[in-house]
């Protein structure tokens, strides 16, 4: 069963909601089943088809739950009498031949008067809605389904020649597609590598710019911090110079006083009484050295 092919055809599914009226111009919703070996179960196949049709109908209608319109009572299955295979390997060719015959009937709408009529095309329409009469005129007695095993053999031979002619074209297309895919992959890799390199360069430039900015900020901050220190050093230097000048003047004055007193003491007589000495102040604005050379110190 798993290696066998059969053909299932859904006819007029859109007419499932039409009123059930015996009308010659009403399309017939049904399922046609063609099995060249009578190997597949028709009722089991029909149940799978009904389940699929209800699922698609509910999806189109936006319904999630509920019973669909396709039922066994409203959607009949038909297995018209058609030619069958006489071997165990031509089932696939028979399926193709059945499909081709139905394709030649594509201009028909499969109305009640076409499906159930037993009359020959062109004669007055007389039909009985019985399952055994269904599709008898269109399929069983139709010219499109008139074929023999010789026709199946010829069809197989034609398929073989067609495949042999198609094979080089297919291989060429497949190889070209493979090369195109490989080229596309290589191009994608190159593009990705270029983008990666660009991203790395941009990141490096950004980091370098940030480093220069931070270094400049540090230099500015260092200069700002050094300015108070320079001012303080200058102030300390000024104070030190003033203290040094004061200390030098003090030492010079002390040395001059000591030298003058010594010279005077050497000129006093031994029995002469020494009187207290006085120091005459130097005029305002004069230096102590100038006062000393001007004999401003007396005993």
């Amino acid at each position: 069963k798993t290696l066998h092919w059969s053909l299932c055809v859904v006819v007029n599914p859109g007419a499932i909601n039409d009123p059930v009226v015996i009308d010659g111009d009403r399309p017939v919703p049904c399922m046609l089943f063609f099995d060249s070996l009578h190997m597949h179960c028709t009722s089991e196949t029909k149940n799978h088809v009904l389940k699929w049709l209800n699922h698609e109908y509910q999806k189109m209608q936006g319904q999630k739950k509920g019973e669909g319109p396709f039922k066994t009572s409203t959607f009949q299955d038909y297995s018209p009498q058609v030619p069958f295979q006489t071997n165990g390997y031509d089932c696939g060719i028979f399926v193709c031949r059945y499909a081709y015959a139905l394709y030649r009937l594509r201009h028909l709408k499969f109305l009640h008067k076409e499906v159930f009529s037993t009359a020959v095309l062109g004669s007055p329409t007389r039909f009985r809605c019985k399952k055994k009469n269904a599709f008898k005129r269109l399929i069983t007695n139709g010219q499109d389904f008139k074929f023999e095993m010789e026709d199946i053999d010829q069809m197989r031979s034609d398929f073989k020649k067609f495949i042999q002619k198609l094979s080089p074209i297919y291989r060429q297309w497949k190889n070209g597609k493979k090369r195109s895919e490989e080229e596309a992959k290589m191009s994608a890799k190159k593009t990705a590598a270029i983008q990666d390199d660009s991203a790395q360069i941009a990141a490096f430039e950004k980091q370098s710019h940030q480093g220069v900015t931070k270094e400049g900020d540090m230099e500015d901050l260092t200069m700002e911090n050094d300015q108070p220190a320079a001012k303080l050093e200058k102030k300390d230097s000024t104070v030190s110079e003033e203290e040094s000048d004061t200390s030098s003047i003090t030492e010079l004055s002390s040395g001059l006083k000591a030298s003058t007193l010594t010279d005077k003491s050497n000129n006093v007589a031994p029995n002469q009484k020494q009187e207290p000495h006085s120091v005459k102040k130097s005029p305002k604005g004069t230096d102590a050295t100038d006062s000393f050379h001007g004999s401003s110190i007396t005993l």
Side-chain angles (χ1 to χ4, degrees):
K1 289 183 179 181
T2 57
L3 299 178
H4 178 60
W5 291 89
S6 59
L7 178 64
C8 178
V9 182
V10 177
V11 181
N12 292 325
I16 192 65
N17 289 324
D18 292 348
V20 182
V21 179
I22 304 301
D23 184 2
D25 293 329
R26 177 179 178 269
V28 178
C30 62
M31 182 189 81
L32 293 175
F33 190 64
F34 302 91
D35 188 349
S36 59
L37 283 178
H38 296 281
M39 184 176 292
H40 289 156
C41 178
T42 304
S43 60
E44 183 179 354
T45 303
K46 181 181 179 181
N47 290 333
H48 288 299
V49 172
L50 291 176
K51 184 178 179 180
W52 172 73
L53 288 172
N54 285 319
H55 173 75
E56 292 298 318
Y57 177 84
Q58 291 173 352
K59 185 170 66 175
M60 292 177 63
Q61 297 296 324
Q63 301 176 358
K64 295 183 179 180
K65 296 182 180 180
E67 188 177 9
F70 295 92
K71 303 176 183 178
T72 304
S73 59
T74 60
F75 195 78
Q76 294 291 331
D77 62 276
Y78 300 98
S79 297
Q81 291 184 2
V82 291
F84 302 117
Q85 68 184 90
T86 57
N87 54 39
Y89 52 83
D90 276 332
C91 58
I93 304 297
F94 269 85
V95 165
C96 293
R97 187 63 182 82
Y98 294 150
Y100 173 71
L102 287 172
Y103 171 76
R104 292 180 61 88
L105 298 176
R106 64 189 182 280
H107 61 284
L108 300 177
K109 295 182 179 180
F110 292 90
L111 304 177
H112 268 80
K113 61 184 179 182
E114 297 171 342
V115 171
F116 295 100
S117 175
T118 59
V120 180
L121 290 176
S123 65
T125 301
R126 297 185 301 273
F127 61 89
R128 296 179 180 179
C129 297
K130 292 184 179 180
K131 194 170 185 178
K132 66 178 181 178
N133 295 327
F135 295 98
K136 189 174 183 179
R137 178 172 63 93
L138 292 179
I139 295 178
T140 303
N141 297 329
Q143 294 298 320
D144 296 308
F145 280 86
K146 295 295 183 179
F147 58 88
E148 304 293 338
M149 285 300 300
E150 289 78 6
D151 299 321
I152 297 298
D153 293 338
Q154 182 62 42
M155 197 172 188
R156 176 181 286 277
S157 177
D158 293 340
F159 280 165
K160 182 178 179 180
K161 293 178 181 179
F162 177 75
I163 293 173
Q164 288 176 346
K165 291 181 179 180
L166 186 63
S167 179
I169 300 175
Y170 171 74
R171 289 178 180 177
Q172 183 179 2
W173 172 83
K174 187 175 181 181
N175 293 334
K177 183 180 179 182
K178 186 176 181 181
R179 286 194 300 269
S180 299
E181 291 177 351
E182 291 177 353
E183 291 175 357
K185 289 181 180 179
M186 292 297 296
S187 178
K189 288 182 179 179
K190 290 181 180 179
T191 303
I194 293 172
Q195 293 177 352
D196 188 31
D197 293 341
S198 300
Q200 291 181 359
I201 292 172
F204 177 76
E205 291 178 350
K206 184 177 180 181
Q207 292 178 357
S208 300
H209 178 70
Q210 291 178 350
V212 171
T213 303
K214 290 181 179 180
E215 184 177 354
D217 294 341
M218 290 298 295
E219 290 179 354
D220 294 340
L221 182 61
T222 303
M223 291 177 65
E224 292 177 358
N225 293 334
D226 290 345
Q227 287 179 359
K231 292 179 181 179
L232 181 60
E233 289 178 0
K234 184 176 182 181
K235 183 177 180 181
D236 294 342
S237 176
T238 304
V239 173
S240 299
E241 290 177 357
E242 293 177 354
E243 291 179 353
S244 177
D245 293 341
T246 305
S247 176
S248 299
I249 294 171
T250 304
E251 292 178 357
L252 181 58
S253 301
S254 299
L256 291 173
K257 289 181 180 180
S259 175
T260 304
L261 292 175
T262 303
D263 293 338
K264 292 291 184 178
S265 300
N266 293 332
N267 296 327
V268 176
N271 294 326
Q272 186 180 355
K273 184 179 180 181
Q274 297 182 359
E275 292 182 1
H277 64 274
S278 62
V279 178
K280 185 178 179 179
K281 294 182 179 180
S282 62
K284 186 176 181 181
T286 58
D287 190 57
T289 307
D290 296 336
S291 300
F292 172 74
H293 291 290
S295 301
S296 60
I297 299 175
T298 57
L299 295 176

